[in-house]
Structure formats: structure tokens, C-alpha cells
Amino acid sequence: MKKITINDLVKWKQEGRKFATSTAYDASFAGLFESQEMPVLLVGDSLGMVLQGQNDTLPVTVEDVVYHTRSVRAGSPNCLLMADMPFMSYATPEQACENAAKLMRAGANMVKLEGSDWLVDTVKILTERAVPVCAHLGLTPQSVNIFGGYKVQGRDQKNADKMVRDALALQEAGAQIVLLECVPQELAKRITEALDVPVIGIGAGNVTDGQILVMHDMFGISANYMPKFSKNFLAETGDMRSAVAKYIADVESSAFPDDAHTIA
Ligand code: KIV
């Protein structure tokens, strides 16, 4: 696979070409993903749940993400690698700069932050200092205790309109990717069409520019709960390499997510 940059993703958006992405946490799976030409990987703080067996992402530390970012970069030298900034690692812009530097030094090409318009100053400061940012909107799992559970976001008009404004404000501040989690497909379409930067979705229908899955869900090996919008591609294909290839092909053809894996 050739080296993937943000410019490739912007070009694909302009051409209407969909792209698949996945979480990854170690060199072996990162190598498998790269062998199937997965262009973007995320070291997600979902590692708290799928690797550490925690109930949520809150216990994950910057050091955890640094360790796994280094491993993924070793296995996939050419993907565009995003790394999650964990809970409370970007509470102030100063903290965000210090911790983002650790993730970039570990091999990330971009950091992902969960939030809304309160993040505008932080995104501006990071991007001005050469740290590319992906802004994660919708169901932001670090806010599970504020939301009172893992709930679909942006269902009512007021919150949907606010999410559109937040996405535009974060793009204006310098965010180069927006990730939407668990939002109605209609709202995901509105945001994807309103933004110039690529939009990656999970539980947001097949209307976004890219899709992401937690790799354990793709292989049907998540310990606890399998979200409605996730799909076990291993069950359908029988081996991991074919499962990854099928996921990528189905995203590129818009066959995934279908109606059964979409939040109305
Ligand atoms: O941590 C993670 O894996 C994520 C994805 C669900 C997008 O943020």
C-alpha cells in the first residue's frame, strides 16, 4: 500500500469514493489490515474495553495509547494513523498540546478528540502547532456518565442543528476529519454534505465518506455487547483476511452498512 495522507481522503471525498477504516491495537493486526490496503487505522480508547476488559473507556491513559500507537505503526507503516486522546488528557489546551505530542512521537499522523464547540480553541491551537485533528461528535463514549448510557445523539431538531453548527465550527478551527458516532442517518448526511473535510461514520448509515468499525466487532469477538450497527464479517467469510477484504469491499460499494445496520 502506498503511504496514505489526508490529501488522499479529501480527494476521495471529492470523487465520491467511500473508504473503510478500522481500529487496531497491535502490529500483527495492523499488518493484516495494511496487507488488505486499509487506508486509515485508529488506536481507539476502545482498547479499555476490548483489550483491558474495562466497563468503559475512562480508565485508559495516554501511556496506554502511546504503547499501542507504537505497535500499530510498526505493523502498518503506510496507513494514516489516528490515535485517541483519552479521557481528561485534553481538558485544557496546554494539556492537549503536551499529550498530543506524545501520541505524534509514537507514530500517529492525527489525534482524535471527543467533544463539541468547547473544543474549538483546542483544535485551533493543536492544528496551528502542526498536530492534525479528527473531531469526534455524536455519541462520545468518554461522556457516557453525562449521557446516562450509550445513547443515539442528535435525534431532535435542536440537537441535530447544534451538531451541524459544531461540525462546521470544528472544521473552521482546523479539524481535518470529523467522526460521527451513533447519529441518525439523515443527520449524518446533512453533516457530510455540509463539510469539505472527510466524515467517517460508525452507526451513522452509509452516507458518510468513510466507515469505521471496532476490529473486535468486525470479527465478532467482542466480549460483551455487539452494537446493532456492527457486523461480524468473520462469520460470513470464515477467515480474518477475507473478513477484512469483505468489509473494505462492502464499504466501498456502500453495501455496508445496510438498513439492518443503520440507525433511522
Ligand atoms: O475508541 C474507538 O474505538 C472509537 C471508535 C468507536 C470510533 O472511538
Side-chain angles (χ1 to χ4, degrees), residues 21-25 42-50 57 82 84 112 114 136 139 141-142 179-181 200-202 212-215 217 229:
T21 83
S22 174
T23 63
Y25 314 96
L42 166 70
V43 179
D45 58 0
S46 50
L47 71 87
M49 283 131 115
V50 297
T57 59
M82 301 197 290
D84 257 341
K112 178 164 79 60
E114 297 182 8
H136 183 157
L139 171 52
Q142 290 169 18
L179 189 146
L180 297 177
E181 178 164 354
I200 297 176
I202 176 165
I212 188 161
L213 277 185
V214 171
M215 57 164 273
D217 293 342
F229 54 78

Side-chain angles (χ1 to χ4, degrees), residues 146-204:
I146 297 278
F147 294 148
Y150 296 102
K151 296 175 194 299
V152 178
Q153 300 296 308
R155 274 216 188 277
D156 59 275
Q157 196 62 42
K158 187 164 160 253
N159 283 313
D161 290 347
K162 175 160 179 356
M163 209 183 293
V164 175
R165 285 197 304 277
D166 289 347
L168 286 166
L170 289 161
Q171 172 180 262
E172 178 68 25
Q176 287 178 290
I177 295 181
V178 166
L179 189 146
L180 297 177
E181 178 164 354
C182 276
V183 301
Q185 172 161 259
E186 198 51 43
L187 174 57
K189 186 166 186 288
R190 241 181 105 190
I191 294 176
T192 304
E193 288 174 356
L195 296 188
D196 296 323
V197 300
V199 176
I200 297 176
I202 176 165

